[in-house]
Amino acid sequence: MRRRPESLLETDRAVLTPEQKKRNFKLALVLASIAVVFFVGFMAKAALLGM
């Protein structure tokens, strides 16, 4: 009987290929840049228009 994995990291499906890691990293950069743009926009609005 096969034992149940204690976490998702123990399953075979959780192993990422180098291509998947590269795509995940690119997605992370895109999402981080969007968050930075929103933050800078909010700070500029607060600075220019007052709180």
Side-chain angles (χ1 to χ4, degrees), residues 14-51:
V15 177
L16 298 176
T17 65
E19 182 64 29
Q20 288 171 322
K21 287 181 183 180
K22 187 186 295 185
R23 279 190 267 148
N24 285 349
F25 185 70
K26 285 182 182 180
L27 177 61
L29 288 178
V30 168
L31 294 176
S33 65
I34 291 170
V36 167
V37 167
F38 273 101
F39 179 73
V40 169
F42 177 76
M43 296 305 287
K45 178 183 173 188
L48 296 175
L49 300 177
M51 297 176 97

